[in-house]
């Protein structure tokens, strides 16, 4: 239990936080802009991981697998939005919950039919399979650093798109006042489709890059969904900044929870959530 | 105000007679299945109190069902106490206490937040039971001796007999129904229904909204606990799945399928969904695909549920028949 051990845990926590951010950012934008509670968002993560496993074995190359998987995920997101979510915009949250709950069942069974129920592994490509030695006995895998780097780049790109482009401006405006954006004559149907497909693709991408480190298994979507919901609650609905800070907080809390409280690790993140709620019921960056 | 219309009264009497008489003629498999359906019916009615009457969309209701089931296990396996006169109130109390804490934290939020937070707290309890070796971890705990109603050492009612358990469940279901129907007609019941319709107006009228919501949440938690007690006793088995969010989602589907805001609707929802699952699960491995499609179809085409359809059918029927003179207010 020396410094390098804690360094490794911190890096792991940050890497997990980045993955959470990719899932939670889509979730929070879909809540904030479209007013939709999408429980099936975790399924995109799971589908991404299975796509990655399937395509990687098909092409025998992880990068090709991911490249081929992303358009599929975007298409799936567009399809679900156009033929499913579109009916939910004017409906109560209750029906959105049920509808997307039904979607989870369908996604889960489709996965079972197409790819089976077994736990699968994806090989880390050779060029990233090494480890950086930290001390005589401890080292840090290169692939995990790669995940963090890719996610940092993606988070930065997302930030630039949202802060600097016209699309990003519309998204920000939509998150703060949906009706006003509609009244200004912006094609809200197109905006919704873009936001949903982007969210689905981000979640699926997170599943793809996570596949080699955490293996591919049926319930991975449910697990990440719940944790991402906690992230969104902590960060505040509709806030990308909140999603980022929440994701890092939860990523680190979960990792260090497992270190210090091996038997109560699962409870730690919810305790963090409860504390934030007592302090700020609308989340760190939520509007009252 | 909660009123029971004539058509729903007919459904109720049919349901009551059907459930009451069935064990005299039915076979053992269906007696067990109907016990499960009635337990889930109590569970669904308790969630309907939140969703349909108070306007609180809780996606973590299985938490109270589950902690009650684990309380049964704690008494039977860990303490070797079998007296249901002790276990039942204790299970309800534990469920109610959990509902008090979770409710107190959750009701300060609304809308999407409330949905996510109730889900997260249920998941927290799920993680608690899953992580602890003491509680059997992911595998759960099996037990052999079932609770029984006894005074001192004399056994009044042995719940390992499935007919006994059936009739206990039946009585609990009837009791829960009457309790909720009376509660909803009481000033408290009218107040929570007011909260659902217009929270701001109720606050302006001087009601303590958070107090009303919390009371409703705790009552619903206790009733879910009663259902959890039966289910644990029936199956002699508890695992973390009792508290999983799939369980919470399922009971929500029952409430909507039956028609929210209608107590007998929740019973019909539990009956219909469980029978559907029981029938198609043996036909096809991937039956959950059909279930998912069914849930989506209910959302799209039957948002008022079975009871809503019955009410509108009976209204149409009444309109078609020659008009009768209305009596009374």
């Amino acid at each position: 239990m020396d410094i390098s051990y804690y360094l490794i845990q911190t890096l792991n926590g940050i890497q997990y936080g980045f993955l959470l951010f990719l899932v939670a950012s889509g979730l929070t934008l879909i809540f904030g802009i479209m007013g939709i509670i999408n429980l099936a968002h975790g399924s995109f993560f799971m589908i991404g991981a299975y796509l990655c496993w399937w395509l990687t074995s098909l092409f025998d190359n992880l990068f090709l697998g991911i490249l081929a998987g992303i358009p599929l995920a975007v298409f799936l997101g567009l399809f679900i939005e156009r033929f499913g979510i579109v009916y939910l915009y004017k409906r109560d949250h209750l029906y959105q919950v049920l509808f997307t709950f039904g979607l989870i069942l369908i996604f889960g069974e489709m996965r079972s039919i197409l790819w089976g129920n077994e736990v699968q592994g994806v090989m880390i490509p050779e060029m990233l399979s090494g480890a950086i030695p930290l001390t005589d006995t401890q080292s840090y895998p290169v692939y995990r650093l790669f995940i963090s780097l890719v996610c940092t780049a993606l988070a930065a790109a997302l930030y630039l798109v949202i802060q600097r482009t016209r699309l990003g401006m519309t998204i920000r405006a939509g998150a703060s006042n949906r009706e006003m954006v509609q009244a200004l004559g912006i094609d809200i149907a197109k905006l919704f489709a873009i936001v949903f497909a982007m969210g689905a693709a981000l979640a699926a991408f997170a599943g793809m890059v996570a596949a080699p480190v955490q293996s591919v298994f049926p319930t991975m979507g449910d697990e990440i969904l719940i944790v991402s919901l906690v992230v969104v609650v902590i960060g505040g609905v509709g806030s990308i900044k909140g999603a980022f800070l929440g994701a890092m907080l939860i990523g680190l809390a979960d990792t260090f929870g497992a270190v210090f409280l091996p038997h109560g690790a699962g409870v730690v993140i919810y305790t963090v959530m409860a504390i934030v709620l007592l302090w700020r019921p609308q989340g760190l960056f939520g509007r009252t | 105000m909660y009123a029971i219309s004539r058509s729903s009264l007919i459904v109720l009497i049919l349901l009551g007679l059907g459930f009451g008489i069935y064990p005299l003629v039915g076979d053992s498999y269906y007696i067990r299945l109907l016990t499960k359906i009635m337990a889930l019916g109590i569970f669904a009615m308790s969630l309907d109190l939140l969703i349909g009457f108070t306007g609180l969309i809780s996606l973590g209701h299985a938490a109270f069902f589950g902690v009650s089931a684990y309380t049964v296990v704690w008494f039977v396996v860990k303490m070797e106490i079998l007296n249901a006169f002790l276990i039942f109130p204790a299970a309800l109390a534990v469920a109610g206490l959990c509902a008090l804490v979770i409710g107190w934290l959750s009701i300060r939020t609304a809308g999407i937040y409330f949905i996510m937070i109730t889900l997260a707290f249920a998941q927290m309890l799920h993680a608690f039971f899953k992580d602890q070796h003491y509680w059997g971890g992911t595998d759960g705990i099996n037990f052999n001796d079932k609770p029984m109603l006894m005074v001192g050492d004399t056994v009044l009612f042995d719940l390992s007999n499935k007919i006994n358990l059936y009739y206990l469940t039946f009585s609990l279901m009837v009791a829960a129904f009457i309790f909720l129907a009376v509660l909803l007609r009481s000033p408290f019941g009218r107040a929570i229904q007011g909260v659902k319709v217009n929270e701001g107006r109720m606050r302006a009228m001087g009601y303590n909204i958070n107090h009303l919501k919390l009371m409703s949440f705790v009552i619903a938690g206790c009733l879910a606990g009663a259902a959890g007690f039966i289910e644990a006793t029936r199956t002699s088995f508890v695992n973390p799945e009792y508290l999983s969010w799939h369980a919470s989602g399922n009971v929500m589907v029952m409430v909507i399928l039956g028609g929210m805001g209608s107590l007998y609707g929740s019973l019909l929802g539990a009956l219909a969904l469980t029978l559907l699952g029981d029938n198609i699960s043996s036909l096809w491995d991937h039956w959950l695909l059909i279930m998912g499609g069914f849930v989506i179809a209910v959302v799209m085409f039957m948002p008022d549920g079975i009871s809503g359809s019955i009410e509108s059918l009976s209204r149409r029927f009444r309109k078609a028949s020659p008009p009768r003179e209305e009596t009374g207010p």
Side-chain angles (χ1 to χ4, degrees):
Chain A
M1 293 280 193
D2 47 24
I3 298 279
S4 62
Y5 177 79
Y6 289 109
L7 177 69
I8 288 174
Q9 296 304 331
T10 309
L11 286 173
N12 280 342
I14 290 174
Q15 178 247 308
Y16 181 44
F18 269 121
L19 286 180
L20 282 178
F21 170 68
L22 291 189
V23 181
S25 56
L27 202 55
T28 203
L29 282 181
I30 291 168
F31 285 144
I33 297 172
M34 302 161 66
I36 293 281
I37 176 162
N38 178 25
L39 294 184
H41 204 68
S43 300
F44 293 127
F45 180 80
M46 178 272 291
I47 289 169
Y50 271 91
L51 271 178
C52 175
W53 163 73
W54 178 59
L55 293 168
T56 302
S57 56
L58 216 62
F59 297 127
D60 207 20
N61 184 321
L62 177 71
F63 301 111
L64 279 180
I66 291 180
L67 273 183
I70 291 172
L72 288 177
V74 172
F75 177 76
L76 179 69
L78 279 177
F79 181 82
I80 295 297
E81 197 273 338
R82 281 293 96 189
F83 293 98
I85 306 295
V86 76
Y87 298 107
L88 298 175
Y89 292 134
K90 296 210 172 4
R91 303 289 293 274
D92 192 79
H93 290 322
L94 177 65
Y95 294 106
Q96 301 173 352
V97 166
L98 283 174
F99 190 98
T100 49
F101 179 71
L103 275 183
I104 292 177
L105 297 181
I106 290 178
F107 281 143
E109 287 308 309
M110 291 304 286
R111 188 252 322 129
S112 164
I113 291 170
L114 288 173
W115 295 312
N117 294 324
E118 293 83 29
V119 176
Q120 308 288 359
V122 176
M123 283 287 283
I124 297 174
E126 212 164 301
M127 57 182 287
L128 297 173
S129 62
I132 300 167
L134 293 172
T135 60
D136 295 341
T137 49
Q138 288 168 330
S139 58
Y140 197 73
V142 175
Y143 186 77
R144 282 180 179 268
L145 278 182
F146 168 75
I147 294 183
S148 293
L149 283 178
V150 170
C151 292
T152 314
L154 210 56
L158 196 64
Y159 177 82
L160 284 178
V161 166
I162 286 183
Q163 293 296 328
R164 296 271 186 269
T165 65
R166 194 170 175 81
L167 172 69
M169 199 173 67
T170 339
I171 289 177
R172 273 181 293 140
S176 64
N177 193 335
R178 204 181 326 149
E179 286 77 19
M180 188 58 86
V181 169
Q182 241 164 325
L184 287 171
I186 285 162
D187 185 354
I188 204 90
K190 204 171 99 189
L191 180 69
F192 283 3
I194 291 173
V195 167
F196 195 85
M198 192 173 79
L202 282 174
F205 180 77
M208 290 175 195
V209 291
V213 283
Q214 67 167 91
S215 77
V216 180
F217 54 99
T219 57
M220 62 193 301
D222 293 351
E223 285 172 17
I224 199 118
L225 171 77
I226 308 281
V227 184
S228 303
L229 287 175
V230 170
V231 167
V232 171
V233 167
I234 289 179
V237 166
S239 165
I240 290 275
K241 206 195 301 173
F244 185 79
L245 281 178
M248 286 302 153
L249 186 63
I250 289 301
L252 289 169
D254 192 54
T255 309
F256 281 99
V259 172
F260 294 118
L261 292 166
H263 292 295
V267 181
V268 173
I269 56 169
Y270 304 105
T271 316
V272 174
M273 183 189 78
I275 293 169
V276 172
L277 269 182
L278 281 174
W279 174 42
R280 280 180 74 87
Q282 74 279 26
L284 294 174
F285 291 92
R287 281 168 292 122
T288 41
Chain B
M1 195 193 82
Y2 183 71
I4 297 174
S5 69
R6 189 178 312 169
S7 52
S8 49
L9 201 62
I10 296 170
V11 176
L12 264 179
I13 291 168
L14 285 177
L15 267 178
L17 279 178
F19 277 125
I21 292 172
Y22 186 80
L24 306 177
V25 293
D27 69 85
S28 144
Y29 174 77
Y30 280 101
I31 289 175
R32 273 180 62 81
L33 188 69
L34 280 178
T35 310
K36 177 181 175 180
I37 287 172
M38 291 189 295
L40 291 175
I42 299 174
F43 191 20
M45 282 195 291
S46 75
L47 183 62
D48 198 19
L49 177 66
L50 294 181
I51 293 181
F53 293 104
T54 321
L56 292 172
I57 305 172
S58 166
L59 191 47
H61 206 51
F64 315 119
F65 184 75
V67 291
S68 162
Y70 272 99
T71 309
V72 174
V73 166
W74 187 76
F75 274 105
V76 172
V77 177
K78 308 285 179 186
M79 296 292 113
E80 295 181 354
I81 294 172
L82 292 179
N83 193 341
F85 280 123
L86 188 65
I87 301 176
F88 184 69
L92 255 61
V94 171
L97 197 66
C98 286
L100 184 68
V101 175
I102 292 177
W104 183 73
L105 281 163
S106 314
I107 52 163
R108 53 184 70 218
T109 64
I112 278 179
Y113 279 102
F114 185 83
I115 299 174
M116 293 192 289
I117 288 159
T118 46
L119 170 61
F121 279 124
Q123 210 56 27
M124 171 175 157
L125 287 169
H126 179 258
F128 171 79
F129 287 112
K130 212 173 79 174
D131 287 349
Q132 307 288 319
H133 185 66
Y134 180 82
W135 295 106
T138 319
D139 296 336
I141 299 178
N142 260 307
F143 54 93
N144 295 322
D145 301 319
K146 299 200 184 206
M148 40 194 144
L149 292 170
M150 50 189 186
V151 178
D153 282 335
T154 32
V155 176
L156 300 177
F157 212 55
D158 184 359
L159 298 183
S160 56
N161 178 328
K162 56 183 173 300
I163 305 260
N164 284 354
L165 183 63
Y166 182 96
Y167 277 112
L168 176 79
T169 311
F170 180 70
S171 340
L172 283 175
M173 180 182 74
V174 173
F177 187 95
I178 294 172
F179 168 74
L180 284 172
V182 170
L183 183 81
L184 288 166
R185 283 163 165 268
S186 72
F188 168 76
R190 292 173 197 215
I192 57 169
Q193 290 169 81
V195 171
K196 179 175 193 265
V197 176
N198 191 334
E199 195 176 319
R201 185 176 293 174
M202 292 301 285
R203 184 172 290 126
M205 283 167 71
Y207 283 97
N208 186 338
I209 304 294
N210 284 356
H211 188 75
L212 288 172
K213 285 182 178 173
L214 188 57
M215 283 279 283
S216 176
F217 202 82
V218 171
I219 292 169
C222 285
L223 283 175
F229 169 86
I230 298 163
E231 216 19 34
T233 308
R234 188 185 72 90
T235 55
S236 312
F237 172 65
V238 174
N239 70 358
E241 284 306 299
Y242 270 70
L243 303 90
S244 77
W245 70 290
H246 280 264
S248 296
N250 268 331
V251 67
M252 195 183 257
V253 173
M254 287 172 192
V255 171
I256 304 305
L257 173 63
M260 60 170 169
S262 149
L263 293 175
Y264 77 91
S266 300
L267 298 178
L268 286 177
L271 180 73
L273 197 73
T274 315
L275 284 181
L276 178 73
D278 184 65
N279 276 306
I280 59 175
S281 63
S282 52
L283 294 179
W284 193 31
D285 283 348
H286 299 292
W287 64 282
L288 280 175
L289 192 65
I290 300 173
M291 216 51 161
F294 179 71
V295 171
I296 288 176
V298 169
V299 172
M300 302 286 291
F301 306 115
M302 231 171 90
D304 296 328
I306 300 173
S307 66
S309 307
I310 293 177
E311 303 282 329
S312 72
L313 265 181
S314 76
R315 256 198 307 276
R316 203 176 305 168
F317 179 73
R318 239 174 291 160
K319 243 181 231 162
S321 62
R324 242 193 336 254
E325 228 169 286
E326 292 291 329
T327 49

